[in-house]
């Protein structure tokens, strides 16, 4: 039965539209390569850039291999501590993708749950949830991250580096769930008026079961498109926070931290330390956005 379901999904109009889109296919391939590079960094990376025992300061600030003074041992050059930039990119991309995916997953869980409840129950429950959404929209993720980071430094002065990723995920999630809640609420308010929901109510099906088994599958289309786009946004927010020094520490940097480290050496002519992480960040965000655009067009027959 599962094989039949997969075959039916592969042969659907939406899947055909996705396969026929060159931008979607190219973005999917690029993103697949980036994901494989991040997941297999322990195996494929030429060096382990965060193992202090393997660093040599004599190799610091080497240019890329194709420039004068470069070394084939470090194709993308090295940073100010002698770390291989290519290896650092692979490990840093893993952290950025992890923060982006986990924060969107947490936002999705909170937003979809509250949006379902608000749209199906209505009344004062809906009013309270929507007012909370209005309040959360007034707090930008950067401000929330700075607040959480400041509180964490006071409460756990020795554990900031350990909790850095958790701070990023919490900061992005606390402000990211609102869009899912609003989207799901609007779709749920439409679905609850349809005949299949009214019929389920008449035969005594509980509201929780109706929301979970009947309404939820019918409102997840636009939510999945939004979630795909939000992964790219979350990665960019993480990079911004890390660039400002609120993100992960320099001992295990993400793409944003690598850009910040490279920016400090930009005026000395070591452009590659910031350029390559910045290029990977842009490539990742653009690929995810193209992926989301393709899903939106495929799931909406009016846009095909």
């Amino acid at each position: 039965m599962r094989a039949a379901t997969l075959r039916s999904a592969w042969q659907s109009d939406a899947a055909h539209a996705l396969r026929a889109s060159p931008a979607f296919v190219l973005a999917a391939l690029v993103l697949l390569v980036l994901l494989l590079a991040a997941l297999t960094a322990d195996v494929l990376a030429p060096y382990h850039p965060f193992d202090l025992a393997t660093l040599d300061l004599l190799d610091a600030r080497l240019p890329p291999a194709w420039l004068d003074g470069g070394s084939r041992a470090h194709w993308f050059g090295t940073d100010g501590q002698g770390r291989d930039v290519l290896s650092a990119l692979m490990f840093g991309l893993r952290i950025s993708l992890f923060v982006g995916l986990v924060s969107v997953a947490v936002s999705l869980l909170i937003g979809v749950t509250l949006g379902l409840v608000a749209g199906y129950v209505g009344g004062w429950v809906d009013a309270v949830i929507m007012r909370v959404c209005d309040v959360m929209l007034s707090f930008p993720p950067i401000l929330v991250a700075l607040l959480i980071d400041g509180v964490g430094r006071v409460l756990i002065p020795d554990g900031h580096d350990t909790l850095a990723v958790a701070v990023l995920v919490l900061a992005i999630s606390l402000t990211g769930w609102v869009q899912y809640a609003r989207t799901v609420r609007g779709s749920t308010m439409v679905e609850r008026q349809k005949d299949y929901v009214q019929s389920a109510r008449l035969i005594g099906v509980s509201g929780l079961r109706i929301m979970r088994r009947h309404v939820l599958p019918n409102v997840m289309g636009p939510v999945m498109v939004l979630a795909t786009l939000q992964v790219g946004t979350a990665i960019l927010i993480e990079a911004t926070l890390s660039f400002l020094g609120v993100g992960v520490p320099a001992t295990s940097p993400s793409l944003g931290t690598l850009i910040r480290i490279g920016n400090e050496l930009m005026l000395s002519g070591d452009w590659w330390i910031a350029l390559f992480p910045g290029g990977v960040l842009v490539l990742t965000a653009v690929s995810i956005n193209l992926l989301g655009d393709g899903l939106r067009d495929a799931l909406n027959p009016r846009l095909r």
Side-chain angles (χ1 to χ4, degrees), residues 73-91:
H74 305 284
W75 282 100
F76 284 6
T78 60
D79 63 7
Q81 300 179 14
R83 291 184 297 202
D84 181 64
V85 172
L86 176 60
S87 301
L89 282 176
M90 297 174 70
F91 281 90

Side-chain angles (χ1 to χ4, degrees), residues 38 43 72 87 110 120 147 163 166 191-192 198 203 225 234 250 270:
V43 178
R72 292 186 178 180
S87 301
I110 298 173
Y120 186 81
L147 177 62
L163 300 175
E191 294 296 324
R192 75 177 182 181
Q198 301 299 330
I203 63 176
V225 174
D270 302 333

Side-chain angles (χ1 to χ4, degrees), residues 186-246:
S187 300
T188 302
M189 292 179 70
V190 174
E191 294 296 324
R192 75 177 182 181
Q193 304 298 331
K194 293 186 177 179
D195 292 340
Y196 74 93
V197 174
Q198 301 299 330
S199 300
R201 284 177 174 175
L202 289 175
I203 63 176
V205 180
S206 66
L208 181 61
R209 183 178 177 85
I210 292 175
M211 286 188 287
R212 182 170 57 89
R213 296 292 300 273
H214 300 286
V215 178
L216 181 61
N218 290 307
V219 301
M220 286 304 292
V223 171
M224 296 312 298
V225 174
L226 179 61
T228 303
L229 295 172
Q230 285 298 103
V231 171
T233 302
I235 291 175
L236 291 176
I237 293 174
E238 179 277 324
T240 302
L241 295 172
S242 296
F243 184 83
L244 295 175
V246 184

